[in-house]
Amino acid sequence: MIEFANLPDARGHFGPYGGMFVPETLMTALNDLTQEYLKAREDADFQRQLSWLLQEYAGRPTPLYFAERLTQTLGGAKIYLKREDLLHTGAHKINNALGQILLAQRMGKKRIIAETGAGQHGVATATVAARAGLECVIYMGAVDMERQALNVARMKFLGAEVVAVTAGQATLKEAINEAMRDWVTNVRSTHYILGTAYGSHPYPMMVRDFHRVIGDEARRQILEREKRLPDLLIACVGGGSNAIGLFWPFLKDASVKMVGIEAGGRGIRDGDHAARFQGGKLGVLQGAKSWLLADEDGQIQLTHSVSAGLDYAAVGPEHCYLRDLGRVDYDYALDDEALDAFQKLARIEGIIPALESAHAIAHTLKVAPKMARDQIIIANLSGRGDKDVAQAAEFLFSKHA
């Protein structure tokens, strides 16, 4: 039996994945961050402060909502939605941002940087930096800035400088590259609030721990509501923070199946998707060893997804290990399926999901009708769709023009 609580090991490895693959100039900062986090994790005052902020500022606990009409429409398993979309700033990202800003303050850092794809992590980081009174710089791919213009404006209103990254594909991977270059240059004064369960140790561990509140709450709530555990958990997976947050507290429960949904884009062809477990390979990218999309020469391939937050060439190392163990399954949803789920959830339940979350809903639409009526699904609604309305309208309504 794997002792999940002992992951990662002292060097940040989840089996063969993870680790610390960074420039020498960052090693001291990462080691200091690791030690500070391990102390904070055992510090009752730190945990009380974080719990207070999660409740009073972010709006936890989030509801576990029984999607009655969706359940009736599909005619199969009972569907519950974990409503992370109702948090302050509109997504699960605030959980991690609050934890990391407290760490930055403990370490005496005066400047915050971050990367963002869909913009939700950027908004969460700008929000916590504003509350802390710290300088904040957000790196964002120029392509993502165009399709997430609302979130760019929100970050600027919150006082952050948003830097457009035009290199390469001008999406999330390039934004992370620029954030890491900044950190190397300004490491003494700056803390990098990385937004997903990826990158060098200790980030995959830290981000997972800050997001496990999702699964802890869902576990309590479903036991209170149904007097038993769910049969299936579903969450979208880019880097994998919302998914590992939901999955982690259930890993020892063999009866609970889990599925992470990647971005299938336009189909599983080179350059048309971001589903790392569909034809990806083992490699090192941006601080960690993981499954990633690369060609035969090891060059990172272009990726595509209708959702900016899933449009990334690598996946969190803990997800790779859980897949190897057979504990979590990974599938994908195509752009068209996610857009269909986006519209169906809006029209059936009156909830407009983020396009990232719509990938999880797309899989729910597939599997719920095949399950028994007394079975239970919890799907993680990781964010709300305000940021995606203009883009989704362009895809969905233009087809009917």
Side-chain angles (χ1 to χ4, degrees):
M1 176 71 181
I2 299 295
E3 184 50 63
F4 295 108
N6 293 334
L7 295 174
D9 66 18
R11 296 186 301 151
H13 289 101
F14 302 85
Y17 308 106
M20 301 175 81
F21 295 86
V22 295
E24 190 66 28
T25 47
L26 290 179
M27 288 301 294
T28 298
L30 286 166
N31 286 327
D32 289 348
L33 177 60
T34 302
Q35 294 308 310
E36 194 64 50
Y37 173 65
L38 292 175
K39 287 189 287 186
R41 191 164 64 174
E42 305 303 320
D43 184 336
D45 287 338
F46 177 88
Q47 294 300 332
R48 273 195 295 269
Q49 191 175 6
L50 178 57
S51 293
W52 184 86
L53 284 169
L54 288 170
Q55 179 178 317
E56 300 296 328
Y57 189 66
R60 303 210 73 93
T62 59
L64 184 68
Y65 168 72
F66 174 46
E68 185 175 6
R69 288 199 69 228
L70 187 63
T71 298
Q72 291 173 350
T73 300
L74 297 178
K78 296 179 74 171
I79 300 167
Y80 284 87
L81 304 177
K82 184 58 174 156
R83 298 293 306 276
E84 296 297 288
D85 59 311
L86 295 179
L87 285 171
H88 180 42
T89 73
H92 70 291
K93 297 293 188 180
I94 192 73
N95 302 322
N96 170 56
L98 284 170
Q100 287 204 49
I101 199 75
L102 292 180
L103 281 176
Q105 290 176 302
R106 281 172 68 106
M107 294 185 292
K109 304 294 185 180
K110 302 299 182 186
R111 181 172 177 269
I112 299 298
I113 60 171
E115 87 300 328
T116 196
Q120 288 300 113
H121 174 59
V123 169
T125 299
T127 297
V128 299
R131 185 184 177 279
L134 299 181
E135 179 186 351
C136 183
V137 179
I138 309 291
Y139 291 92
M140 190 171 189
V143 169
D144 291 338
M145 288 182 71
E146 185 175 340
R147 58 180 172 176
Q148 299 293 329
L150 173 63
N151 275 344
V152 174
R154 293 170 78 195
M155 287 181 266
K156 291 179 177 178
F157 279 129
L158 290 160
E161 177 187 356
V162 184
V163 178
V165 180
T166 57
Q169 199 175 349
T171 56
L172 183 56
K173 175 172 67 70
E174 289 77 22
I176 294 175
N177 283 340
E178 289 304 313
M180 291 185 74
R181 288 192 188 99
D182 183 316
W183 200 23
V184 168
T185 305
N186 302 288
V187 67
R188 292 190 177 183
S189 64
T190 299
H191 176 63
Y192 179 10
I193 299 185
L194 198 150
T196 194
Y198 190 72
S200 173
H201 182 61
Y203 283 104
M205 170 182 70
M206 230 172 30
V207 175
R208 173 200 72 199
D209 290 352
F210 287 139
H211 281 306
R212 66 167 292 176
V213 65
I214 302 170
D216 285 336
E217 285 181 6
R219 186 186 178 87
R220 289 195 301 269
Q221 290 165 327
I222 200 67
L223 286 172
E224 181 179 331
R225 188 78 62 87
E226 295 284 349
K227 310 303 183 213
R228 71 176 186 88
L229 294 175
D231 297 282
L232 178 63
L233 305 177
I234 303 173
C236 66
V237 177
S241 61
N242 89 90
I244 202 66
L246 176 64
F247 296 164
W248 177 259
F250 294 90
L251 287 176
K252 292 183 179 179
D253 301 301
S255 66
V256 181
K257 294 183 178 180
M258 308 177 196
V259 183
I261 306 301
E262 299 183 283
R266 293 180 288 255
I268 307 303
R269 300 175 297 273
D270 290 353
D272 279 342
H273 70 98
R276 290 64 45 103
F277 293 131
Q278 307 294 324
K281 60 184 65 176
L282 185 62
V284 174
L285 178 66
Q286 296 174 329
K289 184 184 288 186
S290 176
W291 276 89
L292 49 87
L293 295 171
D295 64 22
E296 292 179 359
D297 298 320
Q299 296 299 309
I300 303 304
Q301 291 180 327
L302 298 179
T303 56
H304 164 78
S305 173
V306 71
S307 58
L310 303 185
D311 193 0
Y312 184 55
V315 64
E318 190 162 12
H319 286 290
C320 298
Y321 190 52
L322 293 173
R323 177 176 177 263
D324 281 2
L325 294 175
R327 184 62 191 94
V328 181
D329 294 323
Y330 294 85
D331 204 336
Y332 64 90
L334 300 173
D335 283 353
D336 286 347
E337 293 171 326
L339 286 162
D340 179 62
F342 180 95
Q343 186 159 262
K344 281 181 176 168
L345 191 65
R347 294 188 174 180
I348 295 171
E349 288 289 349
I351 298 170
I352 300 175
L355 281 173
E356 291 77 14
S357 312
H359 284 68
I361 301 303
H363 191 73
T364 304
L365 298 181
K366 283 183 191 176
V367 300
K370 301 173 185 176
M371 295 172 64
R373 291 174 183 267
D374 62 350
Q375 290 186 292
I376 298 169
I377 295 172
I378 295 178
N380 202 18
L381 205 64
S382 56
R384 64 176 176 251
D386 309 34
K387 66 186 180 62
D388 296 316
V389 165
Q391 187 185 7
E394 186 178 333
F395 279 102
L396 291 167
F397 300 152
S398 63
K399 291 182 178 180
H400 306 295

